[in-house]
Amino acid sequence: MYNLLIGLTRGEVEADRLFEHTPDDVRQYLAPEAGQVRIERLSNLPTLLMPETGFGDEPQIARVGHVTNVNNSRYGYTFTFVPNPAIAPIPSPRIEAAAGALDITDWEFHRTHWAVKGVDLYRVLDQELSSRVKPKVFQFPTSEPFDPDLVAVMMPFSPAFAAVYESLKAGIEGAGMRCLRADDIWERDHILDDVLSLIWRARVVIADLSEKNSNVFYETGIAHTLGRDTILVAQSMNDIPFDLQGIRALKYLNNREGRAELSRGITSRLKTITAS
């Protein structure tokens, strides 16, 4: 899935324009309880932002990134769009040319609204617009298959987290899934390539932000950009960066009781995600 924001370049959408041109099953996933919007799910999705085509003086370009700071306002919702610096702006005509693959109707290009599409944005952009949107510092392994039972675990490489990983693994297996972390595999010369492969293939990513580990922060950003369901965990809420504090996280204590509670929380959260 991905967020499609057309004409919302000032960071606000009216309530009746949210989820226009959004499939019913996707709408149900994002607002399952009497229309209550699950903001953390919107924030986890990659986002395509562009102006209405053919109107005004705004540059006719689209940007790929993600949304954060989504909040209720008097008339709808405000948000902050954060562009992905690794992806160059895309001329709007190229997005229009790929409209079918992106599930965008011609009418939508001339309508200010926020839609959510049941399409893997990065796969489409790689296939349809690969000359413009490939990241500059790495390549996504687009030929590798998606694994609906795989959970990728991103956490510091430290013996102090060995027991935490075992607790996460127990919680994941309790939900009928399996897990891997980057040091479980050695398929490529560069560890980042193994990390990218793991995130690309995974259904869910668990990111332990404890100790403000910069590698885990980077990997979490990649997971969010790819639209993977991402579960944040941390031993202290102070370890969570400001831009991610609007997303719910599981706090745990690194002792036997705390890790057991973390395991149960992971099982519960995964069951909710896979049932959607």
Side-chain angles (χ1 to χ4, degrees):
M1 290 186 287
Y2 75 96
N3 293 312
L4 172 66
L5 279 55
I6 293 185
L8 303 177
T9 53
R10 296 184 179 181
E12 187 167 12
V13 62
E14 296 178 10
D16 61 355
R17 298 291 182 97
L18 180 64
F19 298 149
E20 280 194 359
H21 301 282
T22 297
D24 290 341
D25 59 334
V26 174
R27 186 192 297 261
Q28 176 63 27
Y29 169 72
L30 295 167
E33 301 172 4
Q36 184 68 34
V37 177
R38 297 292 297 271
I39 289 174
E40 75 277 9
R41 293 184 176 179
L42 288 176
S43 300
N44 270 339
L45 298 177
T47 299
L48 181 66
L49 172 72
M50 61 185 295
E52 291 183 71
T53 57
F55 293 97
D57 298 324
E58 292 183 277
Q60 291 294 302
I61 58 171
R63 294 303 308 264
V64 176
H66 69 278
V67 291
T68 187
N69 299 326
V70 182
N71 293 294
N72 288 102
S73 67
R74 182 176 180 182
Y75 299 108
Y77 294 87
T78 59
F79 63 90
T80 301
F81 173 76
V82 181
N84 185 335
I87 299 179
I90 308 167
S92 292
R94 300 199 68 187
I95 298 296
E96 292 178 286
L102 291 167
D103 192 27
I104 307 173
T105 65
D106 290 342
W107 167 253
E108 288 184 77
F109 289 111
H110 310 294
R111 169 80 170 175
T112 297
H113 69 291
W114 181 329
V116 181
K117 305 295 187 178
V119 171
D120 188 323
L121 176 64
Y122 273 85
R123 288 187 187 276
V124 172
L125 294 183
D126 183 77
Q127 294 167 3
E128 302 287 334
L129 301 163
S130 58
S131 63
R132 292 291 293 178
V133 303
K134 286 185 177 179
K136 298 177 181 178
V137 297
F138 56 74
Q139 298 297 324
F140 289 122
T142 56
S143 62
E144 297 188 16
F146 175 72
D147 186 341
D149 295 322
L150 178 62
V151 178
V153 177
M154 304 294 146
M155 63 193 314
F157 292 144
S158 167
F161 285 85
V164 177
Y165 179 57
E166 291 303 316
S167 297
L168 292 173
K169 183 177 180 181
I172 292 164
E173 291 175 349
M177 304 180 76
R178 62 187 186 88
C179 69
L180 287 173
R181 58 178 180 174
D183 55 343
D184 288 332
I185 56 178
W186 189 354
E187 299 173 352
R188 295 162 179 81
D189 292 332
H190 299 287
I191 190 169
L192 179 59
D193 291 334
D194 281 333
V195 170
L196 289 170
S197 172
L198 187 53
I199 295 174
W200 182 267
R201 291 181 284 128
R203 169 68 176 85
V204 179
V205 174
I206 296 177
D208 191 333
L209 305 181
S210 301
E211 300 185 356
K212 300 182 179 179
N213 185 280
S214 57
N215 290 330
V216 178
F217 287 173
Y218 187 75
E219 293 154 3
T220 303
I222 294 172
H224 281 168
T225 298
L226 287 175
R228 299 296 180 258
D229 283 302
T230 305
I231 302 173
L232 305 181
V233 303
Q235 294 175 23
S236 169
M237 290 304 181
N238 291 329
D239 289 340
I240 300 176
F242 176 79
D243 280 354
L244 299 181
Q245 290 177 5
I247 303 174
R248 290 181 179 176
L250 294 175
K251 179 183 175 182
Y252 71 93
L253 296 175
N254 193 8
N255 57 32
R256 181 178 298 177
E257 293 78 10
R259 292 191 296 268
E261 184 176 353
L262 173 65
S263 184
R264 290 190 293 270
I266 290 296
T267 297
S268 176
R269 183 72 185 106
L270 286 173
K271 287 182 177 180
T272 299
I273 290 172
T274 55
S276 301

